[in-house]
Amino acid sequence: METYQIISIIGVMIFIYFIFFRNKRSAQKEISNLNEIEYIGSSTMKFDDVAGNYEAKQSLLELVDFIQNPEKYNKFNVRMPKGILLYGEPGTGKTLMAKALAGEAGVPFYAVSGSDFVQVYAGLGAGRIRNLFKKAKKAGRSVIFIDEIDAIGKKRMAGNIKGSDEGDRTLNALLTEMSGFADDSGTVVVAATNRIDTLDNALLRPGRFDRQIEIMLPDKNARKDIIKLYLNKVNAEDVNIDELADLTVYFSGAMIENLINEAALSAIRQSSDKITEDHIKRAYLDVLAGVEKKDYDNGMQKTVTSYHEAGHAFISRYLLPENKIIRVSVIPTSKGAGGYTLSTPSSEEVMTKRKILNHLSVLMAGRVSEEIFFGNENITAGAQNDIEKATSLAVDYVSKYSMNDAAFINYQLLSDKLRIPLTSVENSVKKLTSEIYEEVYKLIESNKEKIEKIARLLMEKEVIYQDELDNLI
Ligand code: ADP
Ligand code: ZN
């Protein structure tokens, strides 16, 4: 098989990627020590190391005083939460905040990850939990951190008593230990999860993780603060923070930190003593779209990719004009794409039905363009990624958001509760996507010349930007 056939061509849509696929990316794991409880000692983190997350910081700040002076609270018969559950997207600083809590209070920090308890031998999980609490108790005041608590605290299914036996024992051990330590012990358990919906209710009851704090992706102000925090740590010059905050919509704190780190690395590679806007822009493209290849074949691949991306770019301008096209490229990247159309919304979007349909159209436009210009027999596998995203979005449209009909039903729930297969969703998704495909087909057909122009410009220049695109349209 020729390589160009298997290199996929994708249109990278930041919006689609982060809104609909971020759940699939697994959280960064800092703690993966399988056999031992990680004792971090005194954490040196402070709340100043956390940018954004203002409400959560406020809530945890109150606990610092409780950890340091538990008697004060006990005297007034005030019950402080024993457990705090931080939930939300990966990379938003949940671990960081637990460390900062320990750091501010000046107490030891014990950390485990729920995923370490999965598939351990019988009794081992429960034993490990008891061991963890024993150690913490011996230390006196402390912060115990349980990352990925969903791995031990999954909802117990009525019909599924077997299989989850060991998980139950671990969970029960945790619940027992949490009720076991005294209110004035000055120990606080912080747990984190990306999936609060899957947690067993027993975990959320009073006396357990009864304070639940959502940690959201940073909004623009928070992104500015995170950007400033990390730019201050490196030697940066003349970076437009406001613009960068716009470009990083839907980024987590971890992704912003990574972006600035990559920019610093590229500055070092170029023996530059300052990090400039250029380094950051380069890193931005590398992180989102992949590093562009230096040597590549300019043959048939480039022609098909040019028409494919021209389709994405045109429909994006046509149906989602409020989105900014950052770059359209037909240079293959290290992520296996033959090219990409990178676009970003100017700020967090309100997800209307119309918007979702338009996003679906943009995703289909690459394949449709190939089909129109090269014929149905000659379409390539380059739309693989687009198809994956479109399917996921269409399934959510039908089954989660109930936007397809007036039924107002979450089909996933319906099928779980009634134990019926989801064939009706499958049919609706097929109908929906083929209808949109038809519409996109008509749109591209009636704008063939414009798309042809974009494709030719892409073949000539390999990379084009929004203003060039708009000139042609
Ligand atoms: P989570 O536990 O929510 O998955 P982490 O706390 O592990 O996220 O975040 C990973 C890294 O990302 C942190 O160590 C830090 O460098 C950076 N980071 C994430 N969120 C923030 C934030 N709000 N402020 C500063 N740094 C952050
Ligand atoms: Zn594509």
Side-chain angles (χ1 to χ4, degrees), residues 28 30 49-51 53 89-96 226 229-230 253-254 257:
Q28 275 189 326
E30 287 196 3
D49 296 308
V50 187
N53 300 355
E89 304 294 332
T92 45
K94 298 184 287 296
T95 310
L96 188 61
I226 299 173
L229 177 75
Y230 288 105
E257 190 272 336

Side-chain angles (χ1 to χ4, degrees), residues 26-30 45 47-53 57 86-99 145 147 192-194 215-216 218 222 225-226 229-230 233 252-258:
S26 62
Q28 275 189 326
K29 280 178 211 144
E30 287 196 3
M45 288 291 168
F47 284 123
D48 275 349
D49 296 308
V50 187
N53 300 355
K57 262 160 81 170
L86 305 175
Y87 67 97
E89 304 294 332
T92 45
K94 298 184 287 296
T95 310
L96 188 61
M97 279 198 292
K99 281 185 187 161
F145 179 64
D147 201 6
T193 180
N194 316 323
I215 312 290
M216 296 208 278
D225 285 348
I226 299 173
L229 177 75
Y230 288 105
K233 292 188 183 181
S252 68
M255 290 164 75
I256 293 174
E257 190 272 336
N258 180 47

